[in-house]
Amino acid sequence: MMKYLVFLFLTMISCSKADSQQLNTLGIPQARISEIKNYLKGKGYNQELAIFINFKIPSGKYRYFVYDLTKDKIVQKAVVSHGSGSVVPRSDALQFSNVDGSYQSSLGKYSIGESYVGKFGKAYRLKGLDATNDNAMQRAIVLHSYGCIPDNESNDPACLSLGCPMLSANAFKESAKYIDKSKKPIVLYAFY
């Protein structure tokens, strides 16, 4: 009987670990999704969609996610760059900054603003909503496409930006459909 109870206990523990790991295989920890859902409540942002960038995932892999908050599912995933200044020499770790000229990515929540056409074509202004990224407008941190970002993930790192999240042209067009269709600003949340 005791062996059976021990076996049952170990099975329950391994199953709960598998469940928690499964939530993370999406690329977005459940805690981050819950955090954004709570943040959006009662605010003038889109309540149905959010965009997440998980900078813990290597840059050649899918780490940009358009997420349907009502259906709890990813509707788009893509490769996205980080700033050249975020690279830590001889390390897989990244560093982040809100300082102009650092060429580093900034963490935190952004409101995706209006689009404009600039030197990279269509782009979206990003307004930092946290102390960790409130200089985004001053730094000209925008969401845009760039030719060196691949459509598909690989083991090779994506090219680097000057701090902007850059997508492939195809991924950017797909995201633009969601952003342009939204009557309220969509929140982008970059975390590490």
Side-chain angles (χ1 to χ4, degrees):
M1 181 67 176
M2 187 63 168
K3 284 183 180 178
Y4 176 75
L5 289 174
V6 170
F7 174 76
L8 188 62
F9 177 72
L10 290 173
T11 303
M12 286 174 35
I13 289 174
S14 66
C15 287
S16 67
K17 269 188 177 175
D19 288 346
S20 67
Q21 288 172 348
Q22 187 175 4
L23 290 174
N24 289 331
T25 59
L26 292 176
I28 314 167
Q30 191 62 46
R32 300 294 185 168
I33 294 167
S34 298
E35 183 183 346
I36 282 298
K37 285 181 177 181
N38 290 329
Y39 176 81
L40 295 175
K41 283 180 188 164
K43 294 188 175 79
Y45 299 111
N46 185 313
Q47 304 289 308
E48 297 167 4
L49 280 178
I51 297 174
F52 294 88
I53 298 175
N54 184 349
F55 282 122
K56 276 284 186 197
I57 297 171
S59 70
K61 302 294 184 185
Y62 296 135
R63 61 181 184 168
Y64 170 98
F65 307 96
V66 179
Y67 192 81
D68 185 323
L69 296 165
T70 56
K71 295 180 181 167
D72 277 318
K73 69 176 196 171
I74 294 169
V75 294
Q76 180 193 357
K77 56 188 175 183
V79 174
V80 65
S81 67
H82 56 259
S84 60
S86 288
V87 175
V88 178
R90 295 174 297 288
S91 172
D92 290 334
L94 296 177
Q95 57 191 2
F96 302 92
S97 174
N98 193 23
V99 175
D100 194 16
S102 69
Y103 302 136
Q104 291 182 23
S105 296
S106 298
L107 300 178
K109 295 176 285 299
Y110 297 84
S111 173
I112 300 176
E114 72 280 357
S115 66
Y116 69 96
V117 177
K119 68 178 180 177
F120 300 111
K122 183 175 182 175
Y124 294 94
R125 298 184 199 286
L126 296 176
K127 179 183 179 196
L129 302 174
D130 297 319
T132 54
N133 64 5
D134 60 0
N135 287 329
M137 296 286 270
Q138 173 190 324
R139 294 178 64 202
I141 301 298
V142 299
L143 177 64
H144 66 88
S145 67
Y146 199 61
C148 63
I149 305 293
D151 283 329
N152 299 308
E153 64 180 352
S154 76
N155 291 325
D156 298 325
C159 61
L160 300 170
S161 72
L162 299 181
C164 296
M166 301 186 310
L167 301 169
S168 73
N170 290 330
F172 183 83
K173 282 179 199 160
E174 189 176 341
S175 278
K177 290 177 190 172
Y178 293 109
I179 297 167
D180 292 344
K181 191 167 58 174
S182 180
K183 290 178 174 50
K184 294 181 177 178
I186 293 175
V187 169
L188 182 152
Y189 186 19
F191 60 90
Y192 185 67

